[in-house]
Amino acid sequence: SLLINLYSSEISEWETGLEGREIDITDWPLDSLHKDRYTSPPWNSTLKVLGYGAEFGFYTFDLNQNNNTYLGNPPNPARPNPRWPNPMGYTVAQSGIIHDGGYPLRHAIAHCVNRSDIINHIGYGKPLCTIVPPSLSKYHNPSVDCHPYNLTEASRILDESGMFPFDAIEGRRFWDRNRNGIKDLGESLALKLVARIDHQPRDIMGTLLAIELEKIGVHVDIFHLTITAARIQVYTNADFHIYTGSASVDLDLTYLLGWNWDYTTYCGCNKDAYNHAAEGVQYANTQDDAVVNARIAQEVFCDAVMGVPVLYIEGFKAMSRTYVGHEDPYEGEKWYGIVNQPG
C-alpha cells in the first residue's frame, strides 16, 4: 500500500516527515539550507539527495493591470475595483490613438526582478523569461525579451515616461496623473504587493522585489498572507498590484488562458493579440499550429509585460536510504533507487 502524509509546510515535511522517518521521500524541492544539511554528516548516512531535473511548474510576479472602474467581465457595478485608478493599467489618448499607459511602470518592474539573486536566496530553480518553461519542449520560445535586471534602465523608463517623477520632499516617485510636475491629491504611488508567507520561496521573492523597487523610488506596501487570505485578496477581490504567483502547467497548455480576459479577469490582462494566440493553441488543428500560437502568445506576453516570469523549478529532493515502514520483508531494507518521471 502507498501512504501519503500531508504536512503544514515544506519545512515540516522535511524535518518532521523525512527526518522523523515518517516518510521515505519528499515531494517538495529542497532549499539550499536543507540540501546542504542532507548532503553532510550525519544526515548523509541515512538520507540521499537526488537531482530530478525540471518540473512543469514555475513562479511569476502577477501584475494587476485592470483599468476598469468595476471588476468582472463585463464590469459589474456591484463590484468596485479596489485598485482603481491603477498606475499599472490605465489608458492614455495621444493623437487620437489609445495607448497602454501602465506599460512603463510594468516594464520598469520587470527590470527590477533580479532572478539570480532570488534563486540564490531560495536555493533552487533556473531563470525563466517566459510563461512556457523549457520542459514543454518545442512550445517553449527561447527568443522572448527577458527584460534583464537593470535598475538604471528601470529608472530611465520611469523618467522618460513623464508619469512617475520624484517628489522632492518625500524622495519617492508619485503618479503624475495630470502631468503638471507637482504631486497633487490622489497622486501618491504605493504598490500593494501580496506575498505567500506560508510558501517560503514566494515570500522571499516578494521581499526581494520590494527592496529593488524602493531603490528606484517606487514605494511598496508588502502583505505577507497565507494561502487562504491571499486567494481572497488576489483572486476574489483583485485587491493587489503585484502577487507572487505560481503555475503548474499542463501538456495541452490550457493554462495559457489564465491571462486571457475572456477566461480569467483577476489580473486584468486583456491584450487582443495574446487572447487570440492563447485560444489558437486550444483550437489548433495541428500540433504545428499549436506551437506557432504558443510562441506568439509568449512574445506578446513578454513584450507587453503582462506579468514577470521568474524561475522554473529544477532542483533536488531527499529520500531515506532505507524503507521506513514495518512490513516484512522490507523493513530496514535499502531502496534500489528512484525512477524519475519528468514533469
Side-chain angles (χ1 to χ4, degrees):
S1 62
L2 182 66
L3 172 66
I4 299 176
N5 277 0
L6 302 179
Y7 295 91
S8 60
S9 68
E10 61 266 37
I11 302 292
S12 177
E13 179 187 344
W14 300 328
E15 297 184 0
T16 302
L18 191 65
E19 295 179 19
R21 293 187 63 78
E22 295 179 359
I23 57 176
D24 286 287
I25 189 168
T26 64
D27 75 332
W28 201 260
L30 299 172
D31 60 20
S32 57
L33 176 66
H34 287 81
K35 179 176 178 288
D36 292 342
R37 175 185 177 95
Y38 297 152
T39 54
S40 304
W43 287 108
N44 63 344
S45 64
T46 57
L47 301 178
K48 184 174 180 63
V49 172
L50 303 164
Y52 61 87
E55 286 190 349
F56 291 151
F58 59 92
Y59 300 155
T60 69
F61 286 115
D62 293 342
L63 305 182
N64 182 356
Q65 51 221 268
N66 194 335
N67 64 354
N68 295 318
T69 311
Y70 304 105
L71 299 179
N73 182 17
N76 182 355
R79 300 183 64 204
N81 182 354
R83 291 297 107 196
W84 187 89
N86 184 356
M88 298 204 307
Y90 67 100
T91 56
V92 293
Q94 293 179 342
S95 302
I97 300 175
I98 302 298
H99 296 274
D100 180 358
Y103 172 75
L105 182 54
R106 301 196 309 272
H107 192 188
I109 290 170
H111 282 294
C112 290
V113 176
N114 190 338
R115 293 175 175 84
S116 297
D117 189 46
I118 289 172
I119 290 169
N120 287 338
H121 276 81
I122 292 176
Y124 63 83
K126 295 288 185 182
L128 182 66
C129 298
T130 177
I131 49 174
V132 177
S135 52
L136 284 174
S137 186
K138 65 176 69 176
Y139 294 100
H140 172 70
N141 188 340
S143 302
V144 298
D145 186 350
C146 200
H147 309 294
Y149 172 68
N150 188 330
L151 296 185
T152 300
E153 178 67 5
S155 293
R156 183 195 66 78
I157 291 167
L158 294 181
D159 291 341
E160 291 189 359
S161 76
M163 297 300 297
F164 303 100
F166 272 93
D167 177 67
I169 297 176
E170 292 185 350
R172 294 173 176 170
R173 295 182 184 272
F174 64 97
W175 182 14
D176 192 11
R177 296 172 61 192
N178 59 14
R179 301 185 76 116
N180 66 354
I182 301 171
K183 183 181 177 183
D184 298 312
L185 185 66
E187 291 188 339
S188 293
L189 179 64
L191 299 184
K192 186 171 187 175
L193 192 158
V194 176
R196 279 278 304 281
I197 195 171
D198 53 353
H199 187 238
Q200 187 182 46
R202 287 155 67 188
D203 197 43
I204 291 172
M205 278 172 48
T207 299
L208 293 177
L209 178 60
I211 291 171
E212 300 296 338
L213 286 169
E214 294 282 357
K215 291 179 183 177
I216 64 168
V218 175
H219 180 60
V220 176
D221 292 323
I222 185 166
F223 294 77
H224 304 274
L225 303 181
T226 62
I227 181 173
T228 301
R231 283 178 172 172
I232 294 172
Q233 188 90 1
V234 173
Y235 297 114
T236 303
N237 298 333
D239 190 5
F240 75 104
H241 290 111
I242 306 172
Y243 177 54
T244 56
S246 70
S248 295
V249 307
D250 41 58
L251 291 174
D252 61 4
L253 278 76
T254 55
Y255 74 94
L256 292 179
L257 297 174
W259 294 276
N260 182 313
W261 177 251
D262 291 327
Y263 294 83
T264 308
T265 63
Y266 80 94
C267 64
C269 296
N270 191 10
K271 302 297 182 187
D272 289 341
Y274 180 88
N275 296 344
H276 181 76
E279 290 185 348
V281 175
Q282 305 310 310
Y283 302 110
N285 293 320
T286 67
Q287 186 181 49
D288 288 343
D289 288 344
V291 169
V292 168
N293 280 294
R295 292 193 167 204
I296 291 173
Q298 293 167 76
E299 290 175 2
V300 176
F301 184 97
C302 293
D303 289 346
V305 195
M306 295 168 64
V308 186
V310 179
L311 65 90
Y312 65 94
I313 300 171
E314 182 178 62
F316 299 85
K317 297 183 182 181
M319 65 172 292
S320 173
R321 292 183 181 273
T322 57
Y323 178 57
V324 303
H326 302 291
E327 295 89 349
D328 291 329
Y330 308 110
E331 184 173 0
E333 291 295 314
K334 289 186 175 181
W335 287 99
Y336 286 114
I338 293 294
V339 176
N340 184 39
Q341 177 63 46

